[in-house]
Amino acid sequence: MVSKLTTPSLSELRQRKSTKWREYDLDVLPLPVAEMDYPIAEPIIDAVSEMMKRSDTGYLGKFPELGQAFAGFAARRWKWKVEPESIRIATDVGVATIEILRTLGAPGDRVVVMPPVYPAFYNWTKEINFPIVEAPLTKLARDSKSDNHYGYRVDLAALEREFAAGAKFFVISNPHNPLGMIFSVDELQDMAALAKSYGVIILSDEIHAPLTYRGEVFTPFASVSDDARNQTITLTSASKSWNLAGMKCSIFFTENPELHEKLEPLVKGIRHRASLVGAVSHVVAFAECDSWLDSAIETIENSGEHLQKLVAAHWPQVSLSQPRNSYLSWIDFSKTQLGEDPAAQLLERARVALSSGIPFGSGGAHHARLNFATSAEILEEAVARIAPCL
Ligand SMILES: Cc1ncc(COP(=O)(O)O)c(C=O)c1O
């Protein structure tokens, strides 16, 4: 039976020590960074508590349970057959992305992204001097007759232009952060075919995938075609979907034997830098927490619907994305007086922290991202504080 998750009160949340609750002054309502306010799953609490009781807090070594747990999850949720032995462990998706690029490429190699997109893609590649090039998603007109409810679609011509110009890598957020967009099988197949014909390696960041809404079907990139299987390295983690970001663990794998082999040199070092408590909590998340995940999805969907209603009632000049995955809302403030960086204005004037749209790349100005994995009360307060500023 699925039951909704109950968010702790604001004063309880403020006792958390994570960045969401440490970053801002106490009068600010924090709705930026992708952490959920819900209580985590009991089986994870139990497993981690048992470890602490045993003083089992050493380094992480071989951990085949994690490959097995993820393969089981992928088979149950997406009917995707993954070889448990192909799965490698890393500190987090960021570290894995950086180390994969460093291992397969060289500074100066261009990396394509599709903005507006998760800002860390820009930071990670900058850190290692791999220049980013953009193939922005096409924004559809608001009154567009299209049945695409995300308001954006992939620009294949732009992607091909960058691939043809010599880009070596394509980093995609699948599903897409900040739009909560599930790519269609056709779109994924088209992107994979282009990557194959220009020899581009795809890094498919599937960290938000488990939080796909009821009635929607998430498609793992590597599963859509032979081209995709050959070109793709999949990166994921339980950190978004079970709220374990501070546990520091992620996985990556490819079904292309040649690429798998090329990544072998980084395997031991990168695993050593992940955490044992992270690996244990990830095993439990993937293997034993489907019902908690179902509750989280239902809770998130309800919260998203509540936000849509609040916005329709109190922010008539603002439009919101219609996510079908995860708990992020991409907000278009361009019809308000808030200027290029609404988040900066709203932090100052409403004492509500949103993520600024600007670091999300082209198309990010006049936008902000709101994390709605919180209580109805907190959302209502945030909407009420912002309304007079619009
Ligand atoms: C698309 C995407 N990838 C990666 C991450 C961060 O993952 P990690 O903490 O494992 O680096 C996030 C966090 O919000 C994200 O939204």
Side-chain angles (χ1 to χ4, degrees), residues 35-349:
E35 296 176 16
M36 293 193 272
D37 289 350
Y38 312 132
I40 62 169
E42 286 291 336
I44 297 174
I45 298 174
D46 293 345
V48 172
S49 308
E50 282 308 311
M51 287 179 76
M52 297 302 132
K53 285 186 203 147
R54 287 194 305 273
S55 302
D56 190 4
T57 48
Y59 286 116
L60 173 62
K62 286 184 185 160
F63 222 77
E65 299 95 315
L66 184 44
Q68 288 150 10
F70 180 76
F73 182 81
R76 281 196 311 282
R77 303 290 285 207
W78 305 316
K79 301 187 175 46
W80 186 29
K81 191 172 174 319
V82 174
E83 273 312 320
E85 294 76 30
S86 69
I87 291 177
R88 272 94 177 243
I89 301 178
T91 327
D92 53 35
V93 169
V95 168
T97 304
I98 285 174
E99 295 304 334
I100 291 168
L101 292 174
R102 250 207 280 252
T103 304
L104 300 179
D109 284 350
R110 290 202 289 280
V111 180
V112 185
V113 295
M114 296 194 299
V117 73
Y118 178 53
F121 288 176
Y122 293 84
N123 307 334
W124 298 339
T125 46
K126 190 168 178 204
E127 192 177 317
I128 52 173
N129 295 318
F130 281 54
I132 280 266
V133 286
E134 298 186 328
L137 295 168
T138 303
K139 188 165 187 179
L140 306 171
R142 270 194 207 174
D143 56 355
S144 159
K145 303 256 179 310
S146 153
D147 58 1
N148 172 328
H149 52 267
Y150 299 115
Y152 288 82
R153 63 173 161 66
V154 173
D155 184 346
L156 279 177
L159 208 55
E160 177 157 25
R161 194 175 55 237
E162 298 306 336
F163 288 2
K168 291 275 189 320
F169 299 96
F170 171 37
V171 179
I172 178 171
S173 174
N174 174 39
H176 187 87
N177 167 5
L179 300 172
M181 178 158 89
I182 312 271
F183 295 103
S184 70
V185 170
D186 284 351
E187 282 172 316
L188 294 169
Q189 283 174 342
D190 289 346
M191 291 189 271
L194 280 181
K196 168 77 180 167
S197 62
Y198 293 98
V200 172
I201 295 172
I202 302 164
L203 273 64
S204 184
D205 173 349
E206 304 190 351
I207 198 167
H208 288 277
L211 288 176
T212 295
Y213 293 1
R214 295 164 296 179
E216 295 290 332
V217 179
F218 162 72
T219 308
F221 205 147
S223 73
V224 286
S225 62
D226 288 343
D227 287 344
R229 219 180 336 277
N230 271 321
Q231 302 303 120
T232 305
I233 300 165
T234 304
L235 303 99
T236 191
S237 167
S239 65
K240 294 297 113 188
S241 303
W242 288 269
N243 209 34
L244 305 175
M247 298 286 198
K248 286 296 160 198
C249 188
S250 71
I251 53 174
F252 63 99
F253 54 95
T254 174
E255 294 174 74
N256 174 332
E258 207 182 311
L259 275 182
H260 181 84
E261 198 51 40
K262 282 191 183 158
L263 293 173
E264 186 59 28
L266 67 82
V267 164
K268 257 193 170 169
I270 200 174
R271 183 184 64 209
H272 200 66
R273 293 178 205 132
S275 98
L276 180 60
V277 72
V280 169
S281 57
H282 277 56
V283 170
V284 176
F286 286 128
E288 297 176 36
C289 294
D290 284 16
S291 74
W292 184 92
L293 181 67
D294 290 334
S295 301
I297 292 168
E298 179 169 341
T299 310
I300 287 166
E301 284 189 54
N302 286 332
S303 186
E305 282 160 22
H306 190 52
L307 177 65
Q308 298 279 350
K309 285 187 194 140
L310 289 171
V311 166
H314 302 287
W315 303 353
Q317 58 284 65
V318 162
S319 66
L320 282 185
S321 59
Q322 307 279 326
R324 301 302 301 154
N325 166 272
S326 206
Y327 46 79
L328 304 169
S329 184
W330 184 241
I331 309 178
D332 180 349
F333 287 102
S334 57
K335 299 245 154 55
T336 71
Q337 307 302 314
L338 291 173
E340 286 230 314
D341 192 359
Q345 293 289 324
L346 293 173
L347 180 60
E348 189 71 22
R349 291 160 56 190

Side-chain angles (χ1 to χ4, degrees), residues 2-21:
V2 175
S3 58
K4 283 206 277 169
L5 303 178
T6 308
T7 311
S9 67
L10 190 54
S11 60
E12 286 170 301
L13 288 167
R14 289 207 188 277
Q15 289 170 31
R16 291 189 181 177
K17 296 180 172 59
S18 62
T19 184
K20 183 173 183 189
W21 299 99

Side-chain angles (χ1 to χ4, degrees), residues 368-386:
R369 194 191 72 178
L370 181 152
N371 170 352
F372 57 82
T374 190
S375 64
E377 293 75 23
I378 291 178
L379 285 181
E380 286 156 14
E381 171 73 16
V383 169
R385 286 191 193 187
I386 289 173

